[in-house]
Amino acid sequence: ALMLVIFYFLMFRPQQKRQKQHQEMIKNVRKGDTVITNGGLVGKVTKVIDDEKVEVELAPAVRVVQLRAMLTDVRAKGEPVKEAASS
């Protein structure tokens, strides 16, 4: 029983917290936000199509429809690039 409690606090709870944060982040995507996709592409949201899709401009005149669930990171307008912590 003690092992289950340890696993819950060290593995399951943090994973659920990250999942909830990711869902909240992609729910709040707006036009003009800079996003990073799971494939590593960086673009700007030009149109919110519906609850599942957004239109992302990757380069001038290059727009793609992207599923919200496949967005890795959302940066608000003008937010600086995060420094990657090496571990």
Side-chain angles (χ1 to χ4, degrees), residues 24-87:
E24 186 68 27
M25 177 183 63
I26 62 175
K27 178 181 157 189
N28 294 324
V29 171
R30 300 184 299 275
K31 181 179 176 181
D33 288 348
T34 301
V35 295
I36 300 175
T37 67
N38 278 353
L41 299 173
V42 178
K44 184 179 269 191
V45 176
T46 57
K47 181 179 175 184
V48 176
I49 298 172
D50 58 22
D51 290 341
E52 295 181 7
K53 301 175 199 166
V54 293
E55 184 178 87
V56 179
E57 184 175 45
L58 301 174
V62 178
R63 294 182 179 178
V64 295
V65 175
Q66 179 75 37
L67 292 174
R68 284 183 186 233
M70 301 306 284
L71 297 176
T72 302
D73 195 12
V74 178
R75 300 187 182 174
K77 299 176 202 173
E79 184 178 330
V81 175
K82 298 176 189 171
E83 291 292 325
S86 57
S87 40

Side-chain angles (χ1 to χ4, degrees), residues 1-10 12:
L2 181 61
M3 291 295 286
L4 291 176
V5 171
I6 291 172
F7 273 118
Y8 175 76
F9 282 107
L10 293 179
F12 300 126

